[in-house]
Amino acid sequence: FNSKPEGNDHLTVVTPSFRVDVTRPEDLMEEVARLSGYDNIPLTYPTVPVKGRPPLKALTTRNRIKQIMSGYGFHEIITYNFIAAGACDKLELNPGDARRSVVPILNPLSEELSVMRSSLVPGLLETMRHNAARHEKNLKLFEIGKTFYADESAPLPAEIEMLVGLWCGTRINDSWHAKTTSCDFFDLKGIVEALLEHLDLSGVVFAGLPKESCTYTRPGSSARILIQGQEVGLIGEVHPQVRRNFELKDTAYIFEMTLDALRSLIPDAKSFQPIPRFPSVSRDVTLIVDLEVESGRILNRVEKMNEELIETVQLFDVFEGKPIPSGKKSISFRIVYRSTDRTLEDDDINRLHQEITG
């Protein structure tokens, strides 16, 4: 090893010919440490300060959703990021739909995996078809993944993380003490409501989806999902034509939400309220309305009154048929009244209840 000739801080080392493993200064350093003893090397710590930081909100939200959905009996699936070029046609998407802006694969593995997916729904329906072919018809599935949209103004496609779910088959597993009943729209709607409630989201509204917007969901059995006035997704029955396109015979219900929009609405802090000290009083009210009237609109109208004595408003019965006139339906609500500082009297409840029902 060469060194500068001047000064006393340099050492010239000649490597013996039999030590062919010593060729670098690092090898010489290792020899010095070995001969002097590794135990004699003083212990030092890096000067990098160690500071903790909370985990990313995207990661915690994703894990919370997985735990909640698993708790409701749903199974997570992971499908390919690639789909067939004709998947958008199978979904009956409108010609101007942004999801038709797919990103082609330059060297696809097959025709069924030729473009980047712009929706998670095709993978969900293909999974249902795969299971139905093996006589597995009772399915509760969900998936969290990214979708990709072609963007001519950017070198890379736009990426949006989505959450989708599917329920088909029976409401509960076959049992001797329960009749076999097929799941319906309201079963999956209840799952979505419970999921959003566990995510501490408020102001959740399900509004009817216009017929012209129903592409892969059935008109009359579809709804938009709004949170605090912002539309985050949809829920509904898979359209019969779409089921035929994917070779599906059984009815299925799906929901789809934009996880990026959902995450921005989740509060960072939790709030708590004390347990009520005074008893509640409940009153029921029944209305005869047109079939087209959404029950949620009536609920929202009562909630927007901002009466401090109204604790909850809940729909508990819907009835159609005789003796209800044709084209009408009967809906019944239960309103729970409670005061935080006193026991309510009948006069207080009667006056307020009459204002609401009048």
Side-chain angles (χ1 to χ4, degrees):
F1 297 93
N2 296 326
S3 61
K4 296 180 180 179
E6 65 276 1
N8 298 325
D9 297 334
H10 296 81
L11 182 66
T12 301
V13 179
V14 179
T15 307
S17 59
F18 62 86
R19 292 299 304 272
V20 296
D21 57 321
V22 181
T23 59
R24 305 172 302 169
E26 291 82 357
D27 298 332
L28 180 61
M29 298 175 191
E30 183 179 3
E31 284 297 304
V32 173
R34 182 180 65 83
L35 294 174
S36 62
Y38 292 117
D39 295 339
N40 296 326
I41 299 176
L43 181 63
T44 59
Y45 295 96
T47 57
V48 178
V50 179
K51 293 183 179 180
R53 64 177 183 179
L56 296 176
K57 188 175 182 179
L59 180 62
T60 56
T61 302
R62 194 180 303 122
N63 290 337
R64 285 180 64 189
I65 292 175
K66 291 180 179 182
Q67 292 176 355
I68 295 169
M69 294 300 294
S70 298
Y72 286 122
F74 280 70
H75 299 277
E76 183 183 7
I77 64 172
I78 301 176
T79 59
Y80 286 112
N81 287 335
F82 316 131
I83 58 175
C88 294
D89 295 329
K90 287 185 176 181
L91 289 179
E92 302 289 334
L93 296 178
N94 296 324
D97 197 301
R99 286 167 290 190
R100 286 190 175 274
S101 301
V102 295
V103 181
I105 305 298
L106 296 180
N107 188 21
L109 298 175
S110 67
E111 293 183 358
E112 299 300 321
L113 303 171
S114 58
V115 298
M116 301 289 287
R117 65 184 181 189
S118 58
S119 173
L120 301 185
V121 176
L124 206 62
L125 297 180
E126 287 291 348
T127 303
M128 177 182 171
R129 184 185 64 81
H130 181 84
N131 282 269
R134 288 152 181 81
H135 304 286
E136 291 291 340
K137 298 184 178 181
N138 298 331
L139 300 174
K140 299 168 72 175
L141 309 174
F142 79 96
E143 181 177 13
I144 298 175
K146 289 188 175 182
T147 55
F148 306 87
Y149 299 85
D151 188 354
E152 297 179 355
S153 62
L156 296 176
E159 300 181 14
I160 299 178
E161 192 170 21
M162 302 292 295
L163 165 66
V164 297
L166 177 143
W167 192 348
C168 64
T170 58
R171 179 173 297 165
I172 59 175
N173 295 330
D174 295 339
S175 175
W176 64 270
H177 60 77
K179 296 181 180 180
T180 301
T181 306
S182 299
C183 65
D184 59 19
F185 171 86
F186 296 100
D187 291 322
L188 188 59
K189 177 175 177 286
I191 294 295
V192 175
E193 286 179 321
L195 170 64
L196 299 178
E197 182 180 355
H198 278 82
L199 293 175
D200 303 321
L201 289 167
S202 59
V204 179
V205 176
F206 292 83
L209 188 64
K211 184 177 181 180
E212 59 274 11
S213 300
C214 295
T215 53
Y216 51 88
T217 57
R218 184 175 181 178
S221 298
S222 305
R224 298 178 297 153
I225 305 175
L226 298 98
I227 302 177
Q228 301 172 15
Q230 179 179 344
E231 186 171 347
V232 299
L234 60 85
I235 180 174
E237 177 186 343
V238 178
H239 198 286
Q241 181 59 47
V242 175
R243 287 197 286 114
R244 287 190 289 268
N245 294 342
F246 283 90
E247 301 178 0
L248 299 172
K249 297 180 179 179
D250 299 324
T251 303
Y253 302 89
I254 62 173
F255 73 85
E256 183 179 23
M257 289 188 286
T258 306
L259 200 57
D260 295 330
L262 197 67
R263 188 183 301 114
S264 64
L265 297 172
I266 298 176
D268 296 326
K270 292 181 178 291
S271 60
F272 296 89
Q273 294 181 349
I275 298 175
R277 297 171 53 196
F278 299 94
S280 64
V281 178
S282 61
R283 295 289 175 85
D284 297 342
V285 56
T286 301
L287 303 175
I288 307 297
V289 298
D290 295 334
L291 287 175
E292 294 77 15
V293 176
E294 298 177 8
S295 302
R297 293 183 179 179
I298 302 176
L299 289 173
N300 294 335
R301 188 170 181 178
V302 176
E303 292 174 352
K304 287 182 178 179
M305 296 178 66
N306 294 325
E307 287 287 346
E308 61 178 8
L309 297 182
I310 298 178
E311 186 175 65
T312 59
V313 184
Q314 182 181 3
L315 173 70
F316 70 88
D317 185 65
V318 178
F319 180 77
E320 300 177 23
K322 296 182 178 179
I324 306 299
S326 177
K328 302 286 185 176
K329 64 180 177 180
S330 168
I331 54 177
S332 299
F333 300 92
R334 178 161 296 153
I335 305 176
V336 178
Y337 302 94
R338 191 196 301 269
S339 174
T340 58
D341 55 6
R342 60 190 173 90
T343 300
L344 294 176
E345 301 292 340
D346 288 339
D347 294 339
D348 299 329
I349 301 301
N350 293 337
R351 176 187 55 79
L352 180 57
H353 192 71
Q354 187 175 3
E355 291 179 2
I356 295 173
T357 57

